[in-house]
Amino acid sequence: MTTATLTCPLCEATCGLRVTLDGDRVTGVRGNPDDVFSHGYICPKGASLGALHEDPDRLRTPMVKRDGRHEPATWDEAFAVIAERLPAVIAEHGADSVAAYLGNPSVHNLSTSLYARVLLKALGTKNVYSASSVDQLPKHFTAGYMFGHPLTIPVPDVDRTDYLLMLGANPLVSNGSLMTAPDIRGRLRGIQQRGGRIVVLDPRRTRTAEAADEHLAIRPGTDALFLFALVQVLFEEGLVTLGALDGLVEGMDRVEAWAKDFAPEGVEARTGIAADDVRRIARELAAADSAAVYGRMGTTTQEFGTLASWLVDVLNVLTGNLDRPGGAMFPLAAAGQANSAPGAGRPFRHDRWQSRVRGLPEVIGELPVAALAEEIRTPGAGQVRALITVCGNPCLSTPNAAALDAALDGLDFMVSVDVYLNETTRHADVILPGPSPLARPHYDIALYQLAVRNVANWSVAALDSDVPQEWRTLLRLAGVVAGQGPDVDITALDDMVAADLAGRAGVDLADVGGRVGPERLIDVLLRGGPYDVTLADLEASPDGVDLGSLAPRLPDVLSTPSGRIELAPEPIVQDVPRLVDSLAAATGDPGGMVLIGRRNLSSNNSWMHNITPLVRGENRCTAQIHPEDATRLGLLDGGTALIRSRTGEVKVPVEVTDVVRPGTVSVPHGWGHDLSGVRMAVAETHAGTNSNVLSDDLLLDAPSGNAVLNGLPVEVAPV
Ligand SMILES: Nc1nc2c(c(=O)[nH]1)N[C@H]1C(S)=C(S)[C@@H](COP(=O)(O)OP(=O)(O)OC[C@H]3O[C@@H](n4cnc5c(=O)[nH]c(N)nc54)[C@H](O)[C@@H]3O)O[C@H]1N2
Ligand SMILES: Nc1nc2c(c(=O)[nH]1)N[C@H]1C(S)=C(S)[C@@H](COP(=O)(O)OP(=O)(O)OC[C@H]3O[C@@H](n4cnc5c(=O)[nH]c(N)nc54)[C@H](O)[C@@H]3O)O[C@H]1N2
Ligand code: SF4
Ligand SMILES: [Mo]
């Protein structure tokens, strides 16, 4: 029996785990009580890493589609097919004819975090898509324009705050997002034990809402109105206090002028939040010794995602809470902190290119995934004819999913780097698998940049891998795309990648001699980073290294053109008139039903439904609907609802419950596994329904192009 210590790579919480092994068999996974950050916390998904490792459906060899059926193939056979077909598409139709989609786990995987960019560079396509445009793109957009870099995203200093105003987030279930904070339940309790207060705005009475001191069931999509009303009260009642930010803020007058349109009394019919509550919360925010406003999925994946994301940080600024302990602070990670890397000082811009069909703007080097299906479907120069997916399942996770699913059939060629034959990869000509999380080293290069404490933790792979590490696969793919054939010299390519990174980081590669792949890159980044740590130091500390509480980073963290915080950047405020119009157009209760999503502790978006312990029990893919609506619409608990939108319709079992706000129906995403060609035996028997058949690819947050997955108008009727 042996024990391995590692960081769980499944979600943003970065929990430390202890895995007990009998040879190469996993006998147990527990939270690591000695982990410097998570102190023993674990959730059901982390506990299922052994089951994931042993899942017989997890791919161990490449799969090649022959006569419409996927068959196992050797790596050389798979790459021979790719080398024959993919460069031919590029040669005939140009670089933009190949699209790439990077899914959520690519951010939780060291190989893909560090090497997918090498593949993208080799491709040179403007058709780059990712899960960001069904998630947090508005936050990058506002961080970019307010602070200068799309990753200068402040996180709530939950361990020290006295007042947390949380909108559209359910960290007790999601374990936190754009806020890496393992054991968030414990940290939130800490706020209350210190005498602090937690206020949650969510159309659903979530676990987080239940644990909070106050829950206000806001109408979906109206957060920008609510937040603007708070801003209005701060100005009207003279509660604006910049504190240490005095002299660092540009554009406050414009915000004050805009806010006049959004008095609490004027928006209450629309938001469903009483004007008195708005005024009280504004006063509480201003009076708290320290306070943080934090918004997540419910604020970004909605019609006014950019404005809501912006106003969250406007409030942090106006109350003097930005960059101060207990407020909203900027982490400083040990390796790869993007906003302090060489070259990060260039001001942020978007719209550097546009999507071909709809002219949607580029943001952070990518286009909205809501445009992918039309880019494949619409003929003409620049049409997308081939697709590479890496760790993504857009057929379940992106808007108008049925249209995308159909469009993928029209591709000339598709490669997926993925660990399952699922709803998306069933379309691929070739699937290239990666190792299980237990069989790869890990360092959370992305999430430590958003952590509520500065920490660093390196994990050695607990088990030998039965498949090549994905950085090798990605470099091999990059070689094929670059026209070097299927047998590119991976070592030579990796040396180039490392030399390039070391050059930029000002590190001598000779110092990291002997290492290759991500280990070498992480060592380079650590050595070029702000702390005196190397990979050897982290290897000597398997429970992690604590680098302390977040420290103020202003003004150095700013890279705006003015060198100050831009409170009213033009690309953001030019969307305010659309918000004003929405207020004028909708008087009072607009009637109708709107769709929102929800997450479950045992789900991970679309992809962990093949793990028996995680799908046991009742069907979780239900439509939750308020008793008043159920009565009005003739729906019975346990019956079936037909939910229809502009793009499609689904049938979902009804769950009548007052946890959802009247006028709102909640269906989780990531289900709908009963499609032909999928090979996930467990998931197919817990298939559920794909809610993204309903989400509309034409309905976007205007500035960022992010999808509207919450607050979508739908019709609901009994079947
Ligand atoms: N309606 C609605 N839709 C949503 C959301 C919502 O709240 N409501 N949430 C959105 C959000 S926040 C996100 S992030 C997206 C997620 O959207 P996606 O990233 O497209 O989908 P996932 O479900 O995360 O699928 C992950 C894929 O990666 C594969 N995978 C897992 N681990 C590995 C690995 O180590 N290597 C490789 N190569 N592949 C791996 C899985 O098999 C699966 O195919 O969904 C979005 N869609
Ligand atoms: N167990 C589990 N954990 C996960 C995931 C998972 O699938 N399962 N996914 C991971 C990923 S990729 C992400 S991005 C994070 C997401 O992390 P969170 O954002 O914390 O999680 P969500 O459950 O999407 O929370 C969004 C909340 O917004 C509410 N909401 C919907 N519309 C509105 C609105 O208009 N206004 C307001 N104020 N609220 C609204 C919803 O009811 C929901 O409670 O979770 C991550 N962690
Ligand atoms: S909370 Fe996230 S990081 Fe922690 S054990 Fe669960 S899935 Fe892993
Ligand atoms: Mo996400």
Side-chain angles (χ1 to χ4, degrees), residues 101-106 109 112 131-132 134-136 296-297 301 390-398 417-420 422 424-425 432-437 440 470 595 597-599 604-607 667-670 680 691-692 695 709-710:
Y101 174 85
L102 305 185
N104 169 273
S106 70
N109 174 320
T112 49
S132 292
V134 282
D135 189 343
Q136 80 289 359
R296 203 43 286 270
M297 279 293 283
T301 54
V390 178
C391 308
N393 195 2
C395 286
L396 290 193
S397 56
T398 68
V417 181
D418 206 285
V419 292
Y420 282 103
N422 64 17
T424 295
T425 63
L432 302 170
S436 109
R440 59 182 204 230
E470 286 176 289
L595 181 73
R598 69 178 185 270
R599 284 178 156 75
N604 204 14
N605 296 314
S606 75
W607 75 276
V667 182
H669 74 287
M680 298 190 297
S691 69
N692 278 317
S695 38
L709 305 171
N710 284 294

Side-chain angles (χ1 to χ4, degrees), residues 124-158:
T125 176
K126 71 172 192 184
N127 278 300
V128 176
Y129 302 85
S130 90
S132 292
S133 58
V134 282
D135 189 343
Q136 80 289 359
L137 208 52
K139 204 70 212 176
H140 294 305
F141 191 96
T142 57
Y145 281 112
M146 295 177 79
F147 310 122
H149 191 284
L151 267 162
T152 305
I153 295 176
V155 301
D157 185 9
V158 284

